[in-house]
Amino acid sequence: MKYEFMQKHASEFSIERMSKVLIVSRSGYYRFVHAGPSARARENERLAQAIRKIHDASRQTYGSPRIYSELREAGEKCSRKRVASVMKNNGIVAKMKKRYKVTTRANPQATSAPNLLKQDFVASKPDERWVADLTYVATEEGWLYVAVVLDLFSRRIVGLSMSERMTSDLVILALQQAITHRRPDKGLMHHSDRGSQYTSQAFQDFLKKYCIVASMSGSGNCYDNAAMESFFHTLKTEHVYFEFYKTREQAKQSIFEYVEVFYNRKRRHSTLGYVSPMVFEKRWESVSLCSVH
């Protein structure tokens, strides 16, 4: 408290008067007034600049855990606690807005598949277990419906389709895209909720065509598809809720860019040890090739 008072009132009083008030030597007070920032303060400022750079590159979505991972990968020697402290002192926070609310319309007359996933959101290799769901985004033209397919192994988005209509064609297109890009083996598990799009005959026939095993959440249980709900929460609270879309086409381009450029390639995922989905897959491929040879 003494030193804070000295700093605050250094310009208001004479050196002699201040040294007497604070009961310190005149020479000691003079050295304090004219001394520059400490080595610790300079280091914290340098660290703050590095943190700001990473924070901006993350589209202001990273909190201290992900920023700490970035710094460590860059060779920075600091603790996670110190990163959090520097962020707090400099007002650097991850942007977050609103909460995602699940809204699923089920067809009570449709036949649903059993829940084979059973809240086990782990896969031993790529394209072993996919989860899927759809959501909606507001634009001035009306709702834009977004269907997504996610690979549980790497949390990578492997299928993405968007339309002004919430039909079975929308979810079929997302799955078709995933199949085209990934070419999964027979027996792949596809898990979704009991929404009418997924229980439709057209979608079920599409699964059978590619020998994909259907799995569905229990009635009204959002935890059965928690990995997918988590992605939608991330998409909306980190990106969509900070945008204003005049047209559906504008929203499509914005969401596609977030998913393909940032989420899949750059965004560090806590479930993956704070690496991006694509980095996680590349590391797995590298290890698999080494084990073969």
Side-chain angles (χ1 to χ4, degrees):
M1 291 297 291
K2 179 189 289 186
Y3 295 108
E4 291 176 2
F5 183 83
M6 289 166 68
Q7 286 181 319
K8 183 177 181 179
H9 298 282
S11 62
E12 300 177 13
F13 302 96
S14 67
I15 292 175
E16 184 174 355
R17 185 179 177 185
M18 283 295 292
S19 62
K20 288 181 179 179
V21 170
L22 297 168
I23 317 176
V24 296
S25 69
R26 190 166 183 261
S27 60
Y29 178 71
Y30 185 85
R31 285 195 303 271
F32 174 81
V33 170
H34 292 279
S38 66
R40 179 75 171 183
R42 292 195 300 271
E43 178 61 17
N44 280 343
E45 179 56 32
R46 184 195 66 79
L47 185 59
Q49 292 177 4
I51 288 172
R52 285 193 187 96
K53 186 176 181 180
I54 295 171
H55 186 247
D56 289 341
S58 77
R59 309 178 185 205
Q60 301 180 351
T61 63
Y62 280 6
S64 59
R66 290 183 174 85
I67 288 180
Y68 171 71
S69 295
E70 287 274 359
L71 289 169
R72 293 288 292 177
E73 191 169 290
E76 191 73 53
K77 294 181 179 180
C78 59
S79 68
R80 177 171 166 178
K81 185 177 180 180
R82 186 178 181 187
V83 171
S85 176
V86 170
M87 290 180 67
K88 181 179 180 180
N89 292 337
N90 286 271
I92 303 172
V93 296
K95 68 179 184 180
M96 187 67 67
K97 192 173 182 182
K98 299 184 181 179
R99 278 192 170 273
Y100 171 68
K101 187 176 288 187
V102 182
T103 54
T104 298
R105 294 181 179 179
N107 181 356
Q109 296 180 339
T111 302
S112 60
N115 185 352
L116 303 177
L117 191 63
K118 297 179 180 179
Q119 297 186 20
D120 181 9
F121 304 111
V122 178
S124 61
K125 61 181 180 179
D127 307 319
E128 183 179 57
R129 293 176 168 186
W130 289 352
V131 293
D133 202 353
L134 56 85
T135 189
Y136 52 87
V137 172
T139 76
E140 282 197 339
E141 290 182 337
W143 295 114
L144 174 70
Y145 297 99
V146 182
V148 173
V149 181
L150 179 148
D151 188 338
L152 282 177
F153 174 74
S154 63
R155 297 306 198 268
R156 182 174 178 174
I157 302 304
V158 294
L160 174 66
S161 66
M162 294 172 271
S163 172
E164 64 182 52
R165 299 179 63 216
M166 189 169 58
T167 64
S168 58
D169 288 340
L170 176 65
V171 296
I172 289 174
L173 184 59
L175 182 55
Q176 178 67 73
Q177 184 186 99
I179 292 170
T180 301
H181 291 163
R182 306 285 282 191
R183 299 186 181 280
D185 294 334
K186 294 179 179 180
L188 161 72
M189 182 192 296
H190 178 282
H191 183 85
S192 69
D193 61 24
R194 298 186 181 189
S196 59
Q197 296 79 15
Y198 295 105
T199 57
S200 68
Q201 191 61 51
F203 187 79
Q204 292 303 309
D205 289 344
F206 190 81
L207 292 178
K208 292 176 182 178
K209 177 181 177 181
Y210 289 95
C211 300
I212 296 174
V213 179
S215 171
M216 291 186 180
S217 301
S219 181
N221 191 343
C222 62
Y223 297 106
D224 284 347
N225 206 5
M228 194 70 259
E229 305 299 347
S230 177
F231 168 74
F232 281 146
H233 179 267
T234 297
L235 171 66
K236 292 196 172 185
T237 58
E238 287 189 359
H239 182 66
V240 169
Y241 289 142
F242 292 91
E243 302 293 326
F244 178 76
Y245 301 126
K246 289 187 176 182
T247 66
R248 291 188 179 95
E249 186 58 34
Q250 182 187 7
K252 285 181 181 180
Q253 293 178 10
S254 175
I255 293 169
F256 177 84
E257 191 272 343
Y258 173 85
V259 170
E260 291 299 335
V261 176
F262 181 63
Y263 180 88
N264 277 344
R265 288 172 169 77
K266 297 179 180 179
R267 187 183 185 278
R268 292 177 180 269
H269 203 296
S270 58
T271 305
L272 308 177
Y274 290 104
V275 298
S276 70
M278 288 187 69
V279 168
F280 188 80
E281 287 189 355
K282 287 180 179 178
R283 288 183 179 179
W284 180 84
E285 290 172 1
S286 178
V287 171
S288 297
L289 287 174
C290 290
S291 63
V292 170
H293 296 293

